[in-house]
Amino acid sequence: MSFICDPETGKALCCKYDGRGLFALDLFVGEMELFHPKSTIFLLNLMHVAKTKEEKSKDYPDAYINVRNVFNDTRLPNFSLLFVVQALMIEEECPYLEGNKCSIYSKRPFICAVYPFINNEPGVADAFKRRDFRSFRESAFKKCRECCSSCGGEFRGFYEFFREREKVIKKYKQKYSNILKEHKRFLLKLFRENLDSFQKYIRLNFPSNSWNFEFSIFLIKKIYGDEGIESQINAIEKALSGQLVSQEERKGLEIYKGLLESSI
């Protein structure tokens, strides 16, 4: 069974704050221009590191929910480093929602186009590791089912799900290929321009799903200059003064704010 999303009648739950922290999207660098640094906090985010084919195989249960692993060709010597820019919205919903409809639907970010086949909803990765398809399906399509009655998603097993996922990825990969290439070129140049910092970073015993504050600052300065740094500080202050930030996010954003201030 195929998955059908009806943007005309749905409630757009995938585009709104859900009580788990700031509403976030994983973007390619070229998609950052859709959002403003005064209202969006940009953080370069590492989701997956694999040195060998064996490690890639072991990590695969988590890999399918990572947009970086869909395009596993961003390489530096001895590492396959997959980064995206995590955009944290300081308001309760995506700024492009108008009456529960996306006002930029034809040029929406890649991660929006392929949702829910790539997502990090609670319980999805754990259910996959346990090979519990029923729990997996309930977690992956929870928002979709609450959103609209026509969303479907009644897959009978992992094989059907991943077969449909491959079709979705193939459909959009060509459309977003230029954005992907730009993202790859930009980050490789950024890493090479700051090679000492990069080499130090990859030698550390860092966890996956980690924000890289230093390279986030490099990224902001390169794209927006010092005005972008000031905008990010203001955005973080506004987020921290509100009620949407989770405790984990609060700790990280307070650290990031201090580093941004010291970089001016």
Side-chain angles (χ1 to χ4, degrees):
M1 174 177 288
S2 62
F3 171 78
I4 301 172
C5 177
D6 185 356
E8 294 297 319
T9 61
K11 302 174 184 177
L13 297 182
C14 57
C15 309
K16 299 177 180 178
Y17 169 73
D18 61 5
R20 296 189 292 130
L22 295 174
F23 171 64
L25 291 175
D26 280 351
L27 306 177
F28 293 132
V29 171
E31 295 172 328
M32 290 173 64
E33 65 183 9
L34 293 171
F35 303 92
H36 198 284
K38 288 184 178 179
S39 58
T40 308
I41 302 166
F42 297 112
L43 284 151
L44 197 60
N45 195 29
L46 169 70
M47 295 292 286
H48 181 71
V49 180
K51 299 178 184 178
T52 68
K53 289 184 179 179
E54 285 186 5
E55 288 176 346
K56 289 181 184 180
S57 177
K58 289 179 181 177
D59 288 341
Y60 182 71
D62 293 323
Y64 83 94
I65 62 171
N66 286 320
V67 69
R68 272 136 296 207
N69 284 277
V70 176
F71 304 106
N72 190 14
D73 61 356
T74 305
R75 300 181 185 278
L76 284 177
N78 302 320
F79 282 88
S80 175
L81 295 178
L82 302 171
F83 289 85
V84 289
V85 181
Q86 190 169 69
L88 304 176
M89 314 294 170
I90 63 176
E91 302 297 339
E92 291 195 20
E93 61 184 33
C94 176
Y96 290 106
L97 270 189
E98 296 179 1
N100 284 335
K101 295 181 181 179
C102 178
S103 60
I104 58 165
Y105 193 76
S106 63
K107 60 177 182 179
R108 65 199 186 281
F110 171 82
I111 194 64
C112 301
V114 298
Y115 185 89
F117 290 97
I118 298 178
N119 75 64
N120 60 353
E121 299 295 350
V124 172
D126 180 64
F128 184 81
K129 287 178 181 178
R130 293 185 282 107
R131 301 297 191 270
D132 181 350
F133 183 74
R134 183 175 180 180
S135 296
F136 170 89
R137 184 178 59 195
E138 291 299 318
S139 299
F141 293 94
K142 184 176 186 295
K143 286 184 180 178
C144 300
R145 290 180 175 179
E146 293 175 359
C147 186
C148 61
S149 59
S150 61
C151 279
E154 295 297 331
F155 300 97
R156 290 174 290 184
F158 286 112
Y159 176 78
E160 276 193 3
F161 174 84
F162 281 105
R163 184 175 60 182
E164 184 67 19
R165 176 181 174 273
E166 287 177 5
K167 293 179 183 177
V168 172
I169 296 301
K170 184 178 181 180
K171 174 182 177 181
Y172 289 108
K173 186 174 181 178
Q174 184 174 2
K175 177 181 177 181
Y176 290 87
S177 61
N178 289 335
I179 291 177
L180 166 66
K181 291 175 182 177
E182 178 189 353
H183 176 81
K184 176 183 175 180
R185 286 194 298 266
F186 186 97
L187 289 186
L188 288 177
K189 185 178 180 182
L190 186 69
F191 293 148
R192 286 172 178 145
E193 288 175 350
N194 302 278
L195 192 57
D196 289 342
S197 295
F198 179 75
Q199 289 175 338
K200 179 181 177 182
Y201 172 65
I202 61 177
R203 286 196 299 267
L204 297 177
N205 183 24
F206 49 83
S208 59
N209 298 302
S210 60
W211 290 337
N212 186 305
F213 298 126
E214 185 175 14
F215 275 94
S216 297
I217 294 172
F218 292 154
L219 178 70
I220 297 300
K221 280 191 172 182
K222 193 169 184 65
I223 295 179
Y224 300 109
D226 290 337
E227 290 185 4
I229 298 294
E230 293 175 0
S231 294
Q232 287 291 269
I233 292 171
N234 293 333
I236 292 173
E237 288 176 345
K238 187 173 181 180
L240 292 175
S241 66
Q243 303 298 317
L244 306 181
V245 180
S246 68
Q247 286 302 312
E248 184 177 356
E249 287 174 335
R250 184 173 297 277
K251 292 177 183 177
L253 291 178
E254 287 173 348
I255 294 171
Y256 188 37
K257 177 174 175 288
L259 293 173
L260 284 164
E261 290 171 339
S262 65
S263 73
I264 298 177

